[in-house]
Amino acid sequence: MTGTLTFAATLFVAGPERHRGHVFGGVILLVVAVVIVVLLVQRFRNRKPIAEGSPTALSHSTSQAHGNGNGNVATVTVSALTLDTPPPSGRYTLIDLARSEWTKMRTVRSTMWTIVVTVALGLGVSAIATAETRANWSTMSPSSIHSFDPISLSLIGTFIAQFAIGVLGVLVVSAEYSTGTVRAVFCAAPHRRSVLLAKILVFTVVAVVVAEFVSFASFLLGQSLLSSPAIHATLATPGALGAVVGCGLYISALGLLGLGLAMIIRHSAAAISTFVGILLILPILVQALPNSIAVDVRRFMPDRIGADMIKANGSNVFSPWVGFLILVGYVVAANVIGAILLTRRDA
Amino acid sequence: MIEAEGLTKHYGTKVAVDNLSFSVRPGVVTGFLGPNGSGKSTTMRMIMGLDYPTRGQVKVNGKSFYDAHWPLREVGALLEARAIHPGRSARAHLLMLAQTSRLPKRRVDDLLELVGLSAVADQRAGRFSLGMGQRLGIAAALLGDPGVLLFDEPVNGLDPDGIRWVRHLLKGLASDGRTVFVSSHLMSEMALTADEVIIIGRGHLIEQTSIDGLLSRSSMQSVRVRSPQIDALRVALEELGATTDSEDDGSLTVRGVDEAAIGDLAGSRGIVLHELSPQTASLEEAFMELTEGSLEYRGAELSEAPLTDGTPS
Ligand SMILES: Nc1ncnc2c1ncn2[C@@H]1O[C@H](COP(=O)(O)OP(=O)(O)OP(=O)(O)O)[C@@H](O)[C@H]1O
Ligand SMILES: [Mg+2]
């Protein structure tokens, strides 16, 4: 998929007179195409009938006839299922739970798919944007060249990738509720907050690794596409490293925001809608406020904070790191509310 | 050992479980019986700490389940047949559960084999039949070799072979000294499996008794009598303190006195008898009688609900 996107990007390079409108149209088409492919693949896999080979021998433990008031009923010798290892000392720990969470994450396909989509969209959109800019470089006005920021342009895919990772964050929680897995898990580990903490830890590691990978790869790919005469940057350019690392942290934080929202809302569709609404609809609503208020409110919104974080030299009200702390505040708030509800509501 | 004390659960204004107290002892299979919607599943969820009681408490082995050090080794539960992600394999599902209580990995394979799912262990569970899902749930309950086991309608969806297997398993687990608590709304199934029964209706405890005790109750024993002088016989029997019911076929069902007393009475009054047969109610009937009046969702009485809009005769 990444290959397709890079190929599409090179097509844009080949046509130097393209407009920005074409690029955005192309991006939207690509997003739709990726979503359709993913849905089709999932559908196809679900439809496959189960391979024959249904349970054969019911029990390998010996059954013996055993007279009983209710007729000739055999008794299963349960020695076959006796657990011979004695229980370890102490009690189950966060590490046991984290191990279990990791098993859960890696054994469903949706994890792999959302990660593939995160990487593909993040890289692909950045590649298209940078390649297109390079192609139009000769026709750019001096003022737009003056204000050109190669770093944030190469990280622009963030704003698409954040949706994919948000979906992953939602699904690791909501899929457990919709399938009932969560109840099986709480029967095995009744300390719900510890289970949540283990989930958050495992998800954070996965999200940070994926997001930083997307971020660095987008930056490096984008800068290589912005070849001379276009202005480009390296990781040594002042502010570049911070912006790239910050970009990865921003994406990770949004994944955790999705996870926290799902803890509160529990339903996949509703939680995903809320997540998307916060990033896309809320800014539009805020724009409808009187201008003096709108500006103040607007800078507290996650997407605006993210936009500041991927710039090398923030010309904004919050410095990138203050912005990031505000974002972390939202994430913590959502997850704390989720944790409180977790032990108040029936599972 | 499971001990419930005044267990109560409200869902909004709906009272699902109402001041329920009972105890389930080790070494026997205890059936948990009640009509649909009587609160069996809710009670089991409260035992496992999934639903919080509105009032009352329940203890497993003398303590709250939350205090278990290695929960899977203490209590195993099959509550929902398909509490599994359809995209996850049976093996992965059991593994992630086993890891929470630090159980060895080979335990998963052992149980897959025991329940007969080894061949399909790596397939997506979404493609499992109801019976296969049920077996997987049973495997999950047995993972930690717990001393207390809860099964909510374990034979639901199983074929006759599977039902027999579960029956043997439950008896085997109990004879090993474990506490086995099984819900069902089928008295006939419980009659073959359980030693004790806890019967509830509309969230109330109706009875906790042994199966044998239930069968030998006097109200369950009756005598059918036929006689050309049935009215005279009825009067005589009622003088003796028996209760009588006239049946549609002209016979009389007598409770409260045994067949010998009825025969003696008829002989002394010179009443001719055409039939004198003791009847033992089936457990199904015993159950129906006990839960009558506490049916939550009752089907329409068939004889009174004509399927066609016929004219009255
Ligand atoms: N989460 C819930 N919210 C609201 N009402 C509920 C909930 N769970 C159960 N109930 C209600 O509580 C009552 C008891 O339900 P429960 O599932 O415990 O019955 P049951 O004995 O298991 O029935 P069945 O034999 O059909 O499985 C029912 O009337 C049900 O509608
Ligand atoms: Mg039920």
Side-chain angles (χ1 to χ4, degrees), chain B residues 64-188:
Chain B
S64 160
F65 178 54
Y66 293 106
D67 298 328
H69 283 197
W70 303 101
L72 285 180
R73 288 177 181 262
E74 296 206 20
V75 190
L78 163 74
L79 296 187
E80 291 159 77
R82 297 194 143 192
I84 176 168
H85 193 297
R88 192 173 280 132
S89 71
R91 190 190 305 281
H93 179 73
L94 293 181
L95 178 63
M96 70 88 178
L97 290 175
Q99 284 171 327
T100 60
S101 274
R102 218 181 290 167
L103 299 171
K105 206 170 179 175
R106 76 183 145 72
R107 190 70 192 155
V108 169
D109 300 317
D110 290 351
L111 276 151
L112 284 166
E113 184 151 329
L114 183 88
V115 300
L117 288 178
S118 297
V120 293
D122 294 308
Q123 305 208 8
R124 293 154 60 92
R127 291 191 246 139
F128 279 14
S129 67
L130 182 55
M132 291 160 87
Q134 205 70 278
R135 288 162 207 257
L136 181 57
I138 291 171
L142 297 174
L143 261 183
D145 191 14
V148 177
L149 286 139
L150 272 67
F151 297 97
D152 196 359
E153 316 237 1
V155 299
N156 197 7
L158 292 185
D159 54 23
D161 221 31
I163 293 177
R164 247 176 75 87
W165 184 79
V166 168
R167 200 181 292 151
H168 301 168
L169 177 74
L170 297 180
K171 284 172 168 292
L173 290 168
S175 68
D176 244 25
R178 293 169 221 254
T179 304
V180 182
F181 193 37
V182 200
S183 85
S184 175
H185 46 245
L186 295 177
M187 188 67 176
S188 48

Side-chain angles (χ1 to χ4, degrees), chain B residues 11 14-16 34-43 45 51 152-153 185 200 296-297:
Chain B
Y11 291 113
K14 163 102 207 161
V15 183
N36 288 132
S38 53
K40 303 182 294 294
S41 301
T42 304
T43 304
R45 283 200 304 272
D51 281 17
D152 196 359
E153 316 237 1
H185 46 245
I200 63 169
E296 185 100 359
Y297 306 105

